[in-house]
Amino acid sequence: MAYDAERYREALAVLKPVLEDLWLINDVRVLAGRLEYRSQHWKAAAEHLEFARSSDRADMTNMPVLIDCYRALKRYEIVEQLWSEMKEHSPHPAVMAEGRVSAAMSHADRGDVQSAIRIMTHGGEPRQVQAHHLLEWYVLGDLYDRAGDAVTAKKYFAKVAQHDSKYFDVEVRLAGLGE
C-alpha cells in the first residue's frame, strides 16, 4: 500500500524486518532494491539488485534501474558494461528503452550529449506508439535542447505532446522553445 502510494521510505521501513529473515529471496531483494532506488540510496539499491541478478543473468527486468544506480554513483565503466550486456540480451522494447535512457544519461552527465543522442537514436517510427516511445522522444527532446538544437528538441517534444500533452512537463518545455 505504501509502495503504491509512492511512500517509498515508509515501504522500506516495513520491508526491513522481512529482509532480515528473507534476505536470500530474490523477489524480496528486488523489492528492497527498487525501494532503495526510489529513496535515492543508490549503493544499497545496487547491492540488492546485483544480488538478485546473480541468480539469473538473462533476466533484464531490473537492469535499467541497476544501470541508473551506477550512473548516479558515477561508476560509468559499470554502466557501459551493463548496457552492453543488456543490448546483447535484447529484452522487451519497454525495458530496453529504460536501459537506453539510463545509458544515454550517463554520457550526458559527463557532458557528452552527442553520444547520448546517438544512444537514444535508433529505429524508425513505430506503427503503434507506446509509453516507452514517449519516454524516448522526451529524452531526445531534452538532449537536443541541451545540445542547443531547439528546432529538433521542439520536434521531439511536439511528438510527445501529440500523444500525451500531460506527459511530464512537455507543455512547459514546448512553451520554452517557442510553442
Side-chain angles (χ1 to χ4, degrees):
M1 202 159 152
Y3 187 90
D4 292 336
E6 298 182 9
R7 296 189 317 262
Y8 302 115
R9 290 180 195 269
E10 180 183 330
L12 192 55
V14 170
L15 182 64
K16 289 238 183 205
V18 174
L19 186 59
E20 288 177 20
D21 292 332
L22 303 174
W23 65 276
L24 289 174
I25 307 296
N26 275 349
D27 289 343
V28 173
R29 295 295 291 271
V30 167
L31 180 57
R34 287 193 168 260
L35 288 169
E36 294 284 14
Y37 174 79
R38 293 293 193 159
S39 300
Q40 299 183 354
H41 301 149
W42 316 121
K43 187 172 187 251
E47 288 170 2
H48 289 299
L49 294 173
E50 285 285 9
F51 176 89
R53 183 171 96 93
S54 69
S55 69
D56 185 1
R57 293 284 213 206
D59 182 2
M60 296 287 116
T61 308
N62 296 298
M63 188 67 90
V65 177
L66 185 58
I67 291 171
D68 206 44
C69 287
Y70 285 118
R71 180 188 70 83
L73 292 167
K74 299 182 182 349
R75 301 289 311 271
Y76 301 121
E77 70 287 348
I78 299 175
V79 169
E80 295 303 322
Q81 291 168 2
L82 295 176
W83 173 233
S84 292
E85 186 178 329
M86 191 173 186
K87 289 188 296 187
E88 287 175 23
H89 282 87
S90 190
H92 185 277
V95 174
M96 192 69 176
E98 290 177 23
R100 182 176 288 111
V101 168
S102 294
M105 296 315 287
S106 80
H107 286 272
D109 290 350
R110 292 175 273 169
D112 188 0
V113 177
Q114 292 307 315
S115 288
I117 290 170
R118 278 192 297 279
I119 290 170
M120 290 304 302
T121 306
H122 66 94
E125 288 296 312
R127 281 181 272 186
Q128 185 172 4
V129 174
Q130 297 180 22
H132 66 274
H133 298 118
L134 300 180
L135 173 64
E136 290 176 322
W137 295 337
Y138 183 90
V139 170
L140 274 164
D142 178 67
L143 291 170
Y144 277 110
D145 191 19
R146 290 185 197 195
D149 184 347
V151 172
T152 306
K154 187 174 177 179
K155 175 184 116 181
Y156 281 105
F157 287 135
K159 284 173 73 168
V160 172
Q162 176 185 352
H163 294 281
D164 183 355
S165 63
K166 302 297 181 208
Y167 195 84
F168 294 125
D169 64 346
V170 73
E171 290 176 328
V172 173
R173 298 297 297 266
L174 275 169
L177 293 168
E179 170 72 3

